[in-house]
């Protein structure tokens, strides 16, 4: 469950999120408290707990600065997840903000600066310490924030499950389970790449598909110049299914962090890095490869602050300044259907027919490779609707291909023959055209088509096929329950 940042529900949200906070280190042993007490700063030495702005859920004080130092057990890293977030909004976070550092010092890497009412994504340190600092000016305020922290096991060896310290001139980065299945929920990986001092690092993405969100709050990969010191600046944070541009560092160190939350997952990413001579490429500037404004290098605060609307009465939604929009709905439980990659078929002159007059290629394959209908209309017009993994693709007669599918689920089967061997079930399909629809072995698909007299599924160029994501299961189940 995710709690909205809207503060008029913060009271009930706080009950669910905090569990009445068992690790608030400043609080003395309590007998019958009804609300945790959040102080201005403090030291937390524990494996998990909550930090919050002073006096939350009341409005935080103006002209204040509070610093919290978090220490989890040795051998762990700190994971920080914001549960409620409501600060004064500004596109560059110049007035009220929360800074998160990768250690107990301002000289350590700043993991981010945040403001407004957008709940930041999860953050992860590279050691067992983290520092959180909140500052406010004398003007408009908000109700503040609540965040949960816990210790997590780091990945320090490049041969481990994910993450690690990498010192070779080139290498690869990939999400767990790639490419067999989606990356797990609730995972975090941190790669620290170091090359020779006279070199810089270039990262190129080969595949990329993370849970989409306009602000990359849920699943994301982030890149930082440098390692853990103050020369480390965030290059960018990426999510969705658009391939990011090349990442080029300004030095010989790069920190890469991948975080997924506890809900929707996706294919993940595959990237390679290499060391290149200094000066051979321009370093990537935050925002140049698809990210938002650089919150970590905001210009000096102007001497005259733009006028802000008056503070509304308690528990009335706080107005925010126009430059930073506020989402009006919570994160959806299912992710948007990914767009099927467009398949371009290059038309070539057909060879002349052989002497016996037989055509080697099906005439249907001469047309453009286009899918007919959408998922709903195709569901009703098809005799079979299944999801499965392509295990084999072999040539057939007249330009056709035979396809073996390991079944994930059948939503409509009809006369389709399903073969079972132990617990595994499979079906055989025939596609009349080799390249339309284009199906690749090892990939999971939604497949819809007709059934021939032998119980074999038939796909034609207009048949509905789509790369399968787990989020599509609910939609297909709903369609199977509706009358066509």
């Amino acid at each position: 469950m995710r709690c909205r940042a809207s503060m008029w529900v913060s009271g009930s949200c706080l009950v669910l999120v905090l569990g009445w906070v068992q690790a608030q280190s400043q609080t003395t042993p309590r007998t019958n408290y009804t609300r945790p007490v959040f102080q201005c700063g403090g030291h937390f030495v524990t494996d998990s707990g909550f930090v919050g702005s002073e006096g939350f859920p009341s409005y935080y004080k103006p002209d204040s600065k509070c610093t919290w130092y978090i220490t989890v057990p040795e051998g762990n890293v700190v994971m920080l997840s914001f549960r409620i977030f409501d600060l004064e909004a500004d596109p560059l976070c110049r007035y009220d903000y929360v800074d998160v550092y990768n250690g107990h010092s301002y000289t350590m890497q700043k993991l981010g600066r945040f403001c407004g009412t957008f709940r930041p994504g999860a953050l992860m340190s590279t050691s067992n310490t983290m520092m959180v600092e909140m500052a406010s000016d004398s003007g408009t305020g908000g109700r503040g924030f609540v965040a949960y922290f816990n210790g997590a096991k780091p990945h320090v060896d490049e041969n481990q499950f994910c993450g690690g310290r990498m010192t070779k001139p080139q290498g690869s980065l990939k999400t767990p389970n790639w490419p067999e299945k989606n990356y797990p929920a609730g995972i975090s990986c941190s790669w620290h790449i170091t090359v020779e001092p006279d070199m810089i690092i270039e990262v190129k993405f080969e595949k990329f598909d993370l849970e989409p969100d306009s602000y990359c709050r849920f699943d994301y990969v982030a890149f930082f110049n440098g390692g853990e010191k103050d020369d480390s600046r965030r290059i960018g944070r990426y999510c969705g299914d658009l391939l990011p541009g090349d990442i080029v560092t300004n030095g010989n160190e790069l920190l890469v962090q991948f975080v997924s939350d506890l809900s929707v997952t996706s294919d993940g990413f595959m990237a390679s890095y290499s060391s290149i001579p200094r000066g051979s490429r321009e370093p990537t500037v935050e925002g140049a490869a698809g990210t938002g404004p650089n919150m970590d290098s905001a210009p000096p605060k102007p001497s005259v602050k733009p006028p802000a609307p008056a503070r509304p009465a308690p528990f009335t939604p706080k107005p925010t300044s126009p430059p930073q929009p506020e989402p009006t709905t919570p994160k959806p439980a299912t992710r948007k259907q990914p767009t099927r990659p467009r398949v371009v078929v290059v038309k070539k002159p057909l060879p002349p027919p052989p002497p016996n007059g037989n055509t080697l290629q099906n005439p249907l394959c001469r047309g453009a490779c286009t899918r007919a209908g959408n998922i709903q209309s195709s569901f009703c017009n098809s005799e079979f609707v299944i999801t499965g993994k392509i295990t084999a693709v072999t040539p057939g007669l007249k330009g056709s291909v035979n396809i073996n599918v390991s079944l994930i689920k059948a939503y409509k089967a009809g006369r389709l023959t399903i073969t079972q061997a132990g617990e595994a079930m499979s079906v055989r399909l025939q596609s009349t055209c080799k390249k339309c629809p284009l199906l690749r072995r090892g990939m999971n698909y939604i497949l819809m088509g007709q059934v021939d007299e032998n119980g074999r599924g038939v796909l034609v160029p207009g048949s509905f096929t789509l790369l399968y994501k787990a989020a599509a299961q609910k939609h297909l189940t709903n369609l199977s329950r509706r009358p066509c």
Side-chain angles (χ1 to χ4, degrees), residues 33-46:
Y33 287 119
T34 58
R35 177 175 293 165
V37 177
F38 292 103
Q39 307 290 348
C40 179
H43 290 263
F44 296 84
V45 183
T46 180

Side-chain angles (χ1 to χ4, degrees), residues 24 26 39-44 52 54 65-69 132:
Q24 185 70 17
Q26 298 96 331
Q39 307 290 348
C40 179
H43 290 263
F44 296 84
E54 182 181 9
K65 180 175 285 188
C66 305
T67 306
W68 295 268
Y69 300 90
V132 180

Side-chain angles (χ1 to χ4, degrees), residues 172-252:
S172 62
L173 313 172
K174 60 183 179 179
T175 47
N177 298 336
W178 177 272
E180 288 79 15
K181 56 183 179 179
N182 290 5
Y183 55 80
I187 192 71
S188 62
C189 310
S190 182
W191 294 269
H192 183 195
I193 303 171
T194 306
V195 297
E196 293 297 322
D198 58 340
M199 307 293 278
I200 58 176
I201 302 166
E202 180 181 45
V203 179
K204 294 178 178 289
F205 284 95
E206 300 172 22
K207 300 289 183 181
F208 193 85
D209 185 12
L210 305 183
E211 179 185 6
D213 177 67
S214 299
Y215 299 91
C216 295
R217 294 169 292 178
F218 308 123
D219 298 357
Y220 64 85
V221 58
F223 291 83
F224 299 86
N225 273 310
E228 303 175 2
K229 299 301 181 183
D230 57 354
D231 61 348
S232 189
R233 292 282 186 177
R234 190 174 76 188
I235 299 173
R237 176 185 287 197
Y238 308 93
C239 63
D241 57 6
L242 295 179
L243 203 68
D246 295 348
I247 306 295
V248 180
T249 64
N250 60 14
N252 70 321

Side-chain angles (χ1 to χ4, degrees), residues 397-412:
L397 299 176
K398 297 183 179 181
S400 65
V401 290
N402 299 315
I403 303 167
N404 289 344
V405 181
S406 176
L407 197 65
I408 297 175
K409 187 171 182 178
Y411 297 88
K412 286 176 68 175

Side-chain angles (χ1 to χ4, degrees), residues 66-68 70 80 98-101 130-134 145:
C66 305
T67 306
W68 295 268
I70 300 171
L80 183 74
V98 172
D99 283 341
V100 181
Y101 291 88
M130 179 181 282
M131 184 172 76
V132 180
E133 183 173 83
M134 176 181 167
F145 75 93

Side-chain angles (χ1 to χ4, degrees), residues 365-392:
C365 303
R366 299 177 187 177
C369 187
T370 57
R371 185 173 62 199
N374 55 34
I375 188 170
Q376 183 169 348
S377 63
S378 299
F379 191 101
C380 292
N381 295 331
S382 300
E383 292 182 317
F384 74 88
V385 177
I386 62 173
T387 55
K389 181 177 183 178
I390 307 298
T391 57

